[in-house]
Amino acid sequence: MGDWNVRLNCIFDLMVLPFDDTYFMKKALLEAQEAFDKGEVPIGAIIVVQDRIIARAHNLTEQLNDVTAHAEMQAITAAANFLGGKYLQNCTLYVTLEPCQMCAGALYWSQISRVVYAAKDSERGCGVMGTKLHPKTVLLGGVLETEASMLLKKFFIQKRNLN
C-alpha cells in the first residue's frame, strides 16, 4: 500500500493544473482576436471566479462609437450582472493589455481581487499614469506578453498601411 501512495503522489506532482493564468490569458487572447477581426484595437478580457469564466469581452469602442467601451469595462459590467452585485471580490480579470487609468478606476471600485495582464502599456497604462488599484487587489503582468504584443503590433501596422 505504501508504494502505491508514493506512485500516486508522483503522478499528481507531474500533473499540471489546466486552469492557471496562462490558460485564462489564452481565453482573453481569443477575445482580443475577435476585436482584431472586427477592426477594433485588439484587447480582450475575461473575468474568472473559482476557475469559471463568468464574463468575456473585447474592445467595442469603434462599433459602439463609445470611448468607454474598453474590454475591461465590458467585462466588469458582464461579471457584475452575472453575480448580481457590483463587487467582484474573489474574481480575477485577465486582460491582454495593462488597464488604462479609466479601467483601473472602475476596477478599484469593483474591488476585484486580482488583475492579470499580458502586455505592459508604457504610455497609458495604470502603472505609468500612477493610478491605484484597490489596496486588496493583486496586480500581475507579463503573462503571454509576447503573443499579446504581437497582435497589437500587427493591428497597428495594418492600420497604418491602410491610411
Side-chain angles (χ1 to χ4, degrees), residues 72-83:
E72 301 95 321
M73 302 296 276
Q74 303 298 314
I76 291 167
T77 300
N81 286 335
F82 178 87
L83 295 172

Side-chain angles (χ1 to χ4, degrees), residues 121-136:
D121 186 343
S122 58
E123 293 181 27
R124 293 179 201 90
C126 61
V128 73
M129 298 298 287
T131 310
K132 302 281 188 228
L133 293 172
H134 192 274
K136 294 181 181 176

Side-chain angles (χ1 to χ4, degrees), residues 76 80 84-88 109-111:
I76 291 167
K86 60 186 176 181
Y87 297 117
L88 302 180
W109 291 110
S110 77
Q111 298 181 18

Side-chain angles (χ1 to χ4, degrees), residues 17-86:
L17 289 175
F19 302 121
D20 62 1
D21 289 341
T22 300
Y23 173 85
F24 288 119
M25 189 59 75
K26 286 179 182 177
K27 299 299 183 187
L29 281 165
L30 291 174
E31 288 294 321
Q33 183 62 53
E34 193 168 330
F36 180 94
D37 295 343
K38 293 178 178 177
E40 298 277 357
V41 176
I43 300 171
I46 64 163
I47 295 182
V48 174
V49 64
Q50 297 176 342
D51 290 335
R52 182 176 176 201
I53 297 172
I54 61 169
R56 298 173 187 269
H58 53 271
N59 272 5
L60 292 171
T61 57
E62 299 301 323
Q63 184 177 341
L64 298 178
N65 199 28
D66 179 357
V67 296
T68 68
H70 290 195
E72 301 95 321
M73 302 296 276
Q74 303 298 314
I76 291 167
T77 300
N81 286 335
F82 178 87
L83 295 172
K86 60 186 176 181

